[in-house]
Amino acid sequence: MPQIVNVHEAKTHLSRLLDQAHAGEEIILAKAGKPYARLVPLAQPTGQRTPGRFKGMTIDPGFFEPLPEDELRAWEGQ
């Protein structure tokens, strides 16, 4: 069961809470007694990166072309 900690206490004991989360414990941060956020450890990377794995592969030249105006507006949230 996760530990529930109010924000004020979390600010006071952040280093200890980080150590607990890093050790695998889930900490629920509460604001005014209501769950607000979770403090959990980051997942460890899986597998090993292989330099040069894509050597010799080509990128479609269209990748570097400007986006059409309507698509560009969509990306910009307009």
Side-chain angles (χ1 to χ4, degrees), residues 14-29:
L14 182 59
S15 184
R16 176 179 53 87
L17 294 171
L18 287 172
D19 288 341
Q20 289 175 318
H22 184 71
E25 188 175 338
E26 180 179 347
I27 312 291
I28 302 292
L29 300 177

Side-chain angles (χ1 to χ4, degrees), residues 66-78:
L67 291 174
E69 284 299 318
D70 57 333
E71 195 171 336
L72 184 58
R73 281 192 299 274
W75 276 102
E76 292 174 344
Q78 299 174 3

Side-chain angles (χ1 to χ4, degrees), residues 22-54:
H22 184 71
E25 188 175 338
E26 180 179 347
I27 312 291
I28 302 292
L29 300 177
K31 194 171 186 178
K34 294 183 180 180
Y36 207 73
R38 261 188 316 168
L39 185 60
V40 295
L42 291 174
Q44 295 300 313
T46 57
Q48 189 71 12
R49 290 183 61 187
T50 308
R53 186 170 122 194
F54 297 108

